[in-house]
Amino acid sequence: MTARILNGNELAADLRSEAAWDTAELFANTGVRPGLAAVLVGDDPASSVYVRNKCRACDEAGIFSETFQLPADATQRELTALINSLNANRAFHGILVQLPLPGHLNETDAIERIDPRKDVDGLHPISQGRMLQGQPTFLPCTPAGVQQVLLRSGYDPAGQHVVIVGRSNIVGKPLAALLMQRSPGGNATVTVCHTRTRDLPDITRQADILIAAMGVPRAIGAEMVRPGAVVIDVGINRVDDPSRRRGYRLVGDIDFEPVAAKAEAITPVPGGIGPMTVAMLINNTLHAARLSAA
Ligand code: GUN
């Protein structure tokens, strides 16, 4: 078997063009143009690329965006002051603090500082708590992107055994909460695996839908996958590759070729979940602007 490739670029382009229509309609009806403030601290090259991609996608969807950059040695106090000023700035309906922050800064404090009405990344404890309880809220972008890839490719998680490898606050934990909800796109039986899981391959082989989100390059090999499984790769890892001009290439947490030979469907890296994360951010920013105009 050769797996069907789930093309995140195409699915995300559909979502973003739907958002562009809705943004134009919101502006025509209310005069409100959605605005996103992106906060980037330091000079991590991957984070800079992600933020640039997010702002470019905003532009294309008719959403105003601005990047606020702080130096790598910025203090917590400076970061707090910036977030406070963005909370009060009516031009911005959404605020995104790109993670990871430099090690001396407290990420929890930064995220909790964001006004929950502007938490378009869905990472504030209020957003995550509301999601856990099945209340309307901003969904975290990567988990929401995974759910949309599944639904829009015809793989409804309802009744399926979903195995998630990874328990981060950005992906693994909220994704488990999202897919177990009693609501459309949910109703899965979810198992979460992590570094202390015994007999990991025994569990991953039970997955109808296997989701890798632990950030370890090519850690999931074909022997860990049931024939016919749907495989979602959330990992984006840079590995050295002297044959490339940049000196590196991107690989996921899945060992792509051997797993693709065995799976029913698989997301590639790059071009899988990454663009979906951006599309969900656009969606959330539009939603925040709508709520502010209501
Ligand atoms: N770093 C990696 N993924 C994300 C994300 O979805 N949002 C933010 N803010 N930072 C990230």
Side-chain angles (χ1 to χ4, degrees), residues 71-93:
D73 60 356
T75 62
Q76 192 81 33
R77 189 189 289 258
E78 288 169 315
L79 179 57
T80 298
L82 174 57
I83 296 170
N84 286 345
S85 79
L86 295 172
N87 281 339
N89 187 334
R90 292 167 57 90
F92 297 114
H93 306 92

Side-chain angles (χ1 to χ4, degrees), residues 18-288:
E18 289 164 26
W21 279 99
D22 292 346
T23 301
E25 187 179 62
L26 178 71
F27 185 70
N29 291 340
T30 66
V32 171
R33 173 154 318 280
L36 174 74
V39 176
L40 178 61
V41 186
D43 36 29
D44 176 63
S47 289
S48 301
V49 172
Y50 296 149
V51 167
R52 210 176 317 129
N53 287 344
K54 289 170 183 178
C55 289
R56 189 181 307 141
C58 279
D59 258 7
E60 285 170 17
I63 292 174
F64 166 69
S65 72
E66 194 170 336
T67 301
F68 294 84
Q69 190 143 14
L70 292 177
D73 60 356
T75 62
Q76 192 81 33
R77 189 189 289 258
E78 288 169 315
L79 179 57
T80 298
L82 174 57
I83 296 170
N84 286 345
S85 79
L86 295 172
N87 281 339
N89 187 334
R90 292 167 57 90
F92 297 114
H93 306 92
I95 301 170
L96 154 101
V97 176
Q98 185 65 32
L99 304 178
L101 293 173
H104 67 284
L105 294 175
N106 184 327
E107 286 185 355
T108 307
D109 189 74
I111 288 166
E112 290 189 5
R113 189 72 53 179
I114 297 170
D115 182 334
R117 289 169 299 187
K118 298 190 176 191
D119 177 36
V120 290
D121 237 1
L123 299 180
H124 192 288
I126 288 183
S127 306
Q128 297 216 337
R130 289 182 63 84
M131 181 188 66
L132 185 65
Q133 296 192 346
Q135 299 301 316
T137 188
F138 297 111
L139 296 180
C141 298
T142 302
V146 170
Q147 186 181 47
Q148 284 302 313
V149 165
L150 290 170
L151 291 173
R152 288 175 177 244
S153 307
Y155 301 112
D156 190 331
Q160 303 290 303
H161 185 192
V162 175
V163 176
I164 299 169
V165 188
R167 57 176 159 183
S168 67
N169 286 335
I170 294 191
V171 184
K173 281 192 244 177
L175 183 55
L178 188 61
L179 296 181
M180 74 167 76
Q181 290 301 315
R182 187 201 294 265
S183 58
N187 292 305
T189 303
V190 180
T191 301
V192 179
C193 301
H194 45 75
T195 42
R196 298 292 295 268
T197 296
R198 266 191 289 124
D199 304 326
L200 179 64
D202 278 354
I203 299 172
T204 56
R205 275 196 298 268
Q206 294 172 35
D208 301 310
I209 298 172
L210 177 60
I211 304 176
M214 64 287 202
V216 181
R218 290 182 295 225
I220 305 253
E223 74 289 355
M224 300 173 74
V225 179
R226 187 176 62 75
V230 173
V231 179
I232 304 289
D233 194 348
V234 180
I236 303 178
N237 310 289
R238 287 184 178 205
V239 296
D240 291 342
D241 184 348
S243 76
R244 300 283 173 109
R245 189 167 43 83
R246 290 179 299 197
Y248 70 88
R249 68 195 163 95
L250 298 178
V251 299
D253 293 351
I254 304 281
D255 195 6
F256 185 83
E257 282 82 13
V259 171
K262 205 171 175 187
E264 147 87 18
I266 188 167
T267 59
V269 177
I273 298 304
M276 294 300 288
T277 298
V278 177
M280 300 322 295
L281 175 70
I282 299 293
N283 237 11
N284 281 347
T285 305
L286 169 62
H287 185 57

